[in-house]
Amino acid sequence: MVRTAPVPGVRSVLRVPGMRAVFVAHAVSMAGTLAAEVALSILIFQRTGSALWSALVLVCSFLPYAVGGTILSSLADRFRPRRVLVYCDLLSAVCVAAMLIPGMPTLGLLGLLLVTGFVAPLFQGARAASLSHLLDGDLFPVGRSLLRTISQTAVVTGFAVGSVLVAAVGPLWLLAVDACSFVISAALIGYCTPAAPAGDPDGERTLQAMVKGSAEGLQHLRTNRALRQLVLLTWAVPGFSSVGDGLAVAYTAEAGSAATAAGWLFTGYAIGTVVGELVVARLSPDARRRLITPLAFGSQIPLIGFFLGPSVVVAAALLALSGAGFACNQGIDPLILAATAPGYRGRLFTVQTSGLMTVQGVGVALSGALGTQLHPGVVIGATGLVGAPVVLLLARRR
């Protein structure tokens, strides 16, 4: 009787030395960051009474990804990933702590948030580069999947818990907790995780050289057709399917439900993503690769159902099905890893993260603008109608 080798899954990843600390650190910093976004939004609204100023918190969280993730991406290859991760956490802790200075003006608060936003894509790129050294080719996509699962779980609980905590202890105390969460994350990464080598340790470390190195990373992506198609696919899937979040409140109102029912739509997509990631992580690497096209295509099809004007509960179920398709990344990640030269991994993963956040932000903004002129359900359905052939084409070309 021939014994088959066990499928590399979440347990296999957690057995790798230092991985538990990586994921605990991620969970701690994610929870603190999301709660702080709620606290900062409420604090700025209390000071200004302006919904626009309060909304700028989310803008300042997304906007720096497009700049910081391209100009600074070479930092993820020039230095050891663990050092980059620790410094990013400590810089974020200092910025959040500075928000507690009495009399800090609103523009100052947003400026400090912008700095943490510039740091975020560099942190995520360095962490992905670190995982690519610490985990083998089969475990790497499971490791990244687990990070996404933690992020989505934090999204489901973070905003709700953050609102409750702000009401209980106030926004300033919650910001203090966030600063501490970054310090805890830095300590866990610095003392409890193994070191990984720098991707390009011999590169110059002057500002001019690092900007040039970042440009070389973009050139590497542009000239590598196979890699470019894979990265575009990782942007397109959530770029189209995330519009439901941007129009959640408007769609809830159109369906005749209370505005608070929009929470069903926000959590539906996140829960679907978590379930999809956990299920696909139990499959073999070959099965994950075969599922890239079905999952990517399946992430768009449920959106077309919004043309029928479903109830909020049914709409949440459709978004959950759409979110489950995001697990296609578990099949894509090993292909990206194989197509990327080791010296460019940090830059590539930083640019990938930056592009992902930028595309989602632009998609949500455009859908919101269209939602003011058309029925939100029609906008979401049309997005699925356009997104389905686009992701299918990219998936087949990869």
Side-chain angles (χ1 to χ4, degrees), residues 7 24 58 72 115 136 171 179 182 188 243 247 254 257 262 266 275 277-278 284 290 320-321 341 355 359 382-383 385:
V7 175
V24 171
L58 290 180
L72 302 177
V115 175
D136 63 33
F182 282 117
L188 285 169
V243 299
L247 292 172
E254 181 188 49
S257 301
F266 286 125
V275 172
E277 295 281 10
L278 293 176
S284 68
R290 289 195 297 269
L321 290 172
V359 166
T383 301
L385 205 59

Side-chain angles (χ1 to χ4, degrees), residues 68-257:
T70 52
I71 295 177
L72 302 177
S73 64
S74 65
L75 284 170
D77 286 318
R78 293 287 196 268
F79 301 92
R80 290 181 179 271
R82 187 171 64 180
R83 181 183 299 180
V84 175
L85 295 172
V86 170
Y87 285 172
C88 285
D89 267 338
L90 292 179
L91 178 58
S92 296
V94 170
C95 288
V96 176
M99 296 178 186
L100 301 173
I101 297 175
M104 176 66 68
T106 300
L107 284 176
L109 293 173
L110 293 175
L112 290 168
L113 185 61
L114 278 173
V115 175
T116 64
F118 280 115
V119 168
L122 178 60
F123 180 93
Q124 294 177 35
R127 184 176 55 203
S130 176
L131 287 183
S132 72
H133 288 288
L134 302 177
L135 300 175
D136 63 33
D138 289 338
L139 290 180
F140 174 72
V142 181
R144 291 200 81 189
S145 168
L146 189 52
L147 290 173
R148 291 191 294 266
T149 299
I150 293 171
S151 297
Q152 291 299 326
T153 303
V155 169
V156 173
T157 59
F159 288 118
V161 173
S163 299
V164 172
L165 289 177
V166 167
V169 302
L172 292 178
W173 278 104
L174 207 53
L175 288 173
V177 169
D178 184 36
C180 292
S181 75
F182 282 117
V183 174
I184 293 171
S185 175
L188 285 169
I189 293 171
Y191 294 108
C192 302
T193 62
D200 184 21
D202 298 324
E204 293 185 48
R205 297 181 180 182
T206 63
L207 179 60
Q208 181 179 0
M210 285 189 288
V211 172
K212 181 181 178 181
S214 299
E216 290 172 353
L218 293 174
Q219 179 70 4
H220 177 70
L221 176 61
R222 189 184 70 82
T223 56
N224 189 327
R225 182 177 181 275
L227 181 60
R228 187 174 68 250
Q229 296 286 352
L230 289 167
V231 172
L232 286 175
L233 180 57
T234 66
W235 292 347
V237 169
F240 287 107
S241 60
S242 63
V243 299
D245 279 354
L247 292 172
V249 176
Y251 184 82
T252 309
E254 181 188 49
S257 301

Side-chain angles (χ1 to χ4, degrees), residues 27 39 51 105 195 338 369 380:
I380 298 174

Side-chain angles (χ1 to χ4, degrees), residues 385-398:
L385 205 59
V386 174
V390 170
V391 300
L392 183 61
L393 179 63
L394 290 172
R396 291 176 66 85
R397 282 185 173 181
R398 58 90 190 169

